[in-house]
Amino acid sequence: MDPEVRVLRAAGGFGRARRLLAVASWLPCVALGLALGSEPLLTALPAHHCRPDPALLPPALRALRGPALLDASVPRLGPARSPSPCLLLRYPEPEPALRARPNGTGPCTRGWHYVLPAAGLLRSPVTQWNLVCEDGWKVPLEQTSHLLGWLLGCVILGMGCDRFGRRAVFVASLVLATGLGAGEALAASFPALLALRLLHGGALAGASLTLYVARLELCDPPHRLVFSMGAGLFSGVGTLLLPGLALLAQDWRLLQGLSTLATGLLLLFWGYPALFPESPCWLLATGQLARARKILWHLAEASGVDPENSPEEESSLATGNAPARRKARVLEEERPHPFVCTSSCPLMSTELDILSAGSPPPQHHCILELLHTHVTWRNGLILGFSSLVGGGIRASFLRRLSPHEAVFYGPYFLVATLEMAATIFLLLTVDRWGRRLTLLLGTLLMGLASLLLLAGAQFLPGWTVLSLSVLGLVASQAVSTLSSLFAAEIFPTVIRGAGLGLVLGAGFLGQAAAPLANMHGRRGFFLQHVVFASFAILALLCVLLLPESRGRGLPHSLQDADRLRRSPLLRGHPRQDHLPLLPPSHCRTQTQLV
């Protein structure tokens, strides 16, 4: 058994203290879900039309009021005869009233009339700065900016998470998110809002990432999935609560202020080390044993474990007695799981002393060291590609669910519910079937639904298109969520934050493809659908190269991560388990030839 594992077992394993900390980490996800789900509400486009301008009418029509003035000023479009959102009627030079007929159209001159509330808000950035018609491209620009902030936050603060620790980056991210959120609520212009949304998204990404990594490192293998998916469900609860909060606030500034208040409350409570201690796994992996000893001792006492008590066989294991070591190994194999502690625990001080013997000073690693690994870089690349496809292809299914811009609540609640359904699906299947097989199934369903919609959407009945869109949304959300969990389990502790940040950043990059296409009036939507459907088929083949991380301990070093090898998809061939892509003898032969 690794020395780090023995030390963690000495502190009570996944005992009462760690369980309470893991459960407590679910509550911040509600506030983070509120912040992440605010984007659709802030950028919801209400039904609108130009305000009538009597100065453009002939003198005989300027006395009109109400619907008559609207009919004389704004052209009607479509079978429903709805007012044009961006045009006003133009009339020729003054003529007798009986012969006054419009001879063209022009842009709005006196602003717009909006059908409110939109997404529960009587005032939003769209209505405040008139981000419609000629300025409608600014809405997808703001959406892209916010997603770019999440991408940069995942990458940059993920690296900081490995350098400065999980707790330090989490607290710093909450401080930044609180300040930037308050500034966002007070933004005086659209460019200021654009910059603040970028920075605010980065701060929220840092808090979400560090919370995810710290929770994962608290749990033992049998509980990692349950607590990770539980956090996803709490985030979905926050997303579902947001429209009700918008109905109460009715102003986007007040809504943003309430979201910032929730972030500030997180800082007030989770800023204390008792609710969010530094990760012992990270401290042990980076050689900070003095801090690790203090935290582990506190966790052991809080779990009702006395670290000073030690059975003879475990003490002998620590001091190197070979017969006792063999006996302890037999006893260990009979235990239900290496992280489950029995009535007595090993001597933590002895284990820490052995771990610190001959250890170098605290050492931090850079994500660029991933390039020198044999298989870890490939695993990360595959999972990043899967996250990119899962995030990018989602827009193809969303457009089938909400073809009309004015519809908001139906698609919003349907998407939030489907995301929670995907989380429950993973909760029920991943530990039963394994990470790789479930990811393979999700990628297959996602690609199949996308190809069917791409090839036959015009010929299929409406209920079939709706069913395929729902299936594709659930599968794409499952692929994105499972790719994140998979990446956190295969990246070593020393670069787990940066590695997971790259995978999550790839997902946000894929999501940014939809607003970028909207900037050009959705003219590139079909090409985007074709590209991501092709990527889904390629991702299906790449997933076969991944190892299986179910039931395995988290790797601590780059060498530990490189030992994760491919295993058979099914359980019928145990002799071929953990086989590398090339036999070691072949690798040695190639090295000698070089």
Side-chain angles (χ1 to χ4, degrees):
M1 188 192 301
D2 293 337
E4 292 87 353
V5 176
R6 293 201 300 265
V7 171
L8 294 175
R9 284 185 58 194
F14 193 57
R16 183 174 64 251
R18 292 195 177 195
R19 291 175 189 269
L20 291 176
L21 289 175
V23 170
S25 69
W26 287 348
L27 297 179
C29 296
V30 178
L32 295 175
L34 289 173
L36 182 59
S38 64
E39 186 66 22
L41 279 79
L42 297 181
T43 58
L45 183 63
H48 59 280
H49 61 79
C50 297
R51 292 185 183 276
D53 188 358
L56 300 178
L57 299 176
L61 300 179
R62 293 176 184 174
L64 296 176
R65 294 291 183 270
L69 177 62
L70 183 64
D71 291 338
S73 301
V74 180
R76 300 284 179 167
L77 302 177
R81 306 293 296 165
S82 58
S84 172
C86 301
L87 297 175
L88 283 175
L89 291 173
R90 293 293 191 266
Y91 288 83
E93 293 299 323
E95 294 185 4
L98 296 177
R99 293 188 297 171
R101 294 289 185 273
N103 65 348
T105 57
C108 300
T109 58
R110 297 186 59 185
W112 287 263
H113 173 76
Y114 297 98
V115 180
L116 299 174
L121 298 175
L122 295 176
R123 190 183 182 195
S124 69
V126 175
T127 60
Q128 180 172 351
W129 290 299
N130 293 321
L131 305 181
V132 294
C133 298
E134 293 86 356
D135 290 335
W137 60 272
K138 293 181 180 180
V139 172
L141 177 63
E142 189 275 332
Q143 294 170 341
T144 305
S145 173
H146 190 55
L147 290 172
L148 181 62
W150 277 82
L151 189 157
L152 295 177
C154 286
V155 175
I156 297 175
L157 296 180
M159 292 188 289
C161 175
D162 295 327
R163 178 62 180 83
F164 304 105
R166 289 36 170 153
R167 171 177 165 74
V169 174
F170 179 73
V171 174
S173 298
L174 288 182
V175 172
L176 289 174
T178 303
L180 292 169
E184 186 178 327
L186 301 174
S189 63
F190 178 74
L193 177 67
L194 199 67
L196 288 170
R197 290 291 286 173
L198 174 71
L199 299 175
H200 190 210
L204 291 172
S208 179
L209 174 67
T210 50
L211 185 66
Y212 190 97
V213 173
R215 182 191 309 110
L216 193 81
E217 292 176 348
L218 274 175
C219 301
D220 60 346
H223 296 91
R224 286 200 299 255
L225 176 69
V226 174
F227 283 91
S228 297
M229 297 302 106
L233 292 177
F234 271 74
S235 179
V237 170
T239 304
L240 291 175
L241 291 176
L242 189 59
L245 194 62
L247 286 173
L248 294 176
Q250 295 190 343
D251 187 281
W252 74 273
R253 295 184 184 275
L254 181 56
L255 177 65
Q256 186 60 37
L258 293 176
S259 178
T260 302
L261 178 62
T263 308
L265 291 177
L266 290 184
L267 180 62
L268 179 63
F269 290 100
W270 272 262
Y272 287 100
L275 274 179
F276 195 91
E278 186 55 83
S279 170
C281 289
W282 178 76
L283 293 174
L284 292 173
T286 54
Q288 305 179 60
L289 302 181
R291 294 178 62 190
R293 184 194 302 268
K294 181 179 179 181
I295 294 175
L296 288 172
W297 202 278
H298 173 74
L299 291 176
E301 292 178 345
S303 299
V305 175
D306 185 5
E308 294 292 346
N309 294 332
S310 172
E312 179 181 356
E313 51 268 22
E314 290 287 357
S315 298
S316 301
L317 177 64
T319 56
N321 189 328
R325 187 163 57 244
R326 287 193 297 269
K327 181 179 179 181
R329 189 180 300 116
V330 172
L331 292 175
E332 180 184 328
E333 292 175 354
E334 297 176 355
R335 288 171 178 165
H337 195 273
F339 280 88
V340 178
C341 195
T342 55
S343 59
S344 57
C345 292
L347 186 62
M348 188 173 66
S349 299
T350 305
E351 298 293 348
L352 281 171
D353 292 339
I354 294 176
L355 191 63
S356 60
S359 298
Q363 184 176 0
H364 304 282
H365 296 261
C366 177
I367 187 61
L368 295 179
E369 296 181 31
L370 195 65
L371 300 176
H372 302 292
T373 60
H374 295 290
V375 296
T376 308
W377 69 268
R378 183 204 65 198
N379 297 334
L381 183 63
I382 293 173
L383 291 172
F385 184 63
S386 299
S387 181
L388 171 71
V389 176
I393 206 171
R394 199 172 305 163
S396 304
F397 305 119
L398 284 174
R399 191 184 181 193
R400 307 291 180 182
L401 289 177
S402 54
H404 305 291
E405 295 285 354
V407 179
F408 175 79
Y409 285 109
Y412 181 88
F413 285 110
L414 179 60
V415 170
T417 305
L418 291 179
E419 290 179 355
M420 298 180 70
T423 303
I424 295 174
F425 168 76
L426 294 177
L427 189 61
L428 297 176
T429 58
V430 171
D431 272 344
R432 181 185 299 265
W433 297 344
R435 273 64 165 161
R436 185 174 57 162
L437 185 58
T438 308
L439 183 60
L440 188 68
L441 177 62
T443 308
L444 176 62
L445 294 176
M446 178 179 66
L448 184 61
S450 179
L451 290 175
L452 289 176
L453 288 175
L454 186 64
Q458 298 177 352
F459 311 102
L460 296 173
W463 66 269
T464 305
V465 174
L466 179 62
S467 300
L468 289 175
S469 301
V470 169
L471 177 63
L473 271 176
V474 173
S476 61
Q477 179 64 29
V479 167
S480 299
T481 304
L482 187 53
S483 296
S484 303
L485 175 65
F486 213 158
E489 290 182 335
I490 66 170
F491 279 115
T493 303
V494 292
I495 59 168
R496 181 167 294 123
L500 180 60
L502 290 175
V503 173
L504 291 174
F508 287 114
L509 179 63
Q511 294 180 40
L516 286 175
N518 289 337
M519 286 187 188
H520 303 283
R522 289 188 173 182
R523 287 192 294 269
F525 175 78
F526 179 78
L527 179 60
Q528 175 186 332
H529 194 170
V530 172
V531 169
F532 280 106
S534 305
F535 283 174
I537 302 303
L538 182 58
L540 184 66
L541 301 176
C542 294
V543 169
L544 295 172
L545 299 176
L546 291 174
E548 179 55 63
S549 61
R550 175 184 55 179
R552 296 183 178 181
L554 296 175
H556 295 287
S557 64
L558 292 169
Q559 293 77 14
D560 295 337
D562 255 357
R563 297 190 186 102
L564 293 176
R565 304 290 184 173
R566 290 185 306 135
S567 58
L569 278 175
L570 303 177
R571 300 180 181 180
H573 306 281
R575 293 184 180 179
Q576 298 178 4
D577 198 11
H578 315 305
L579 290 179
L581 286 175
L582 294 176
S585 59
H586 180 76
C587 297
R588 289 195 296 269
T589 303
Q590 294 293 332
T591 305
Q592 293 173 0
L593 289 176
V594 174

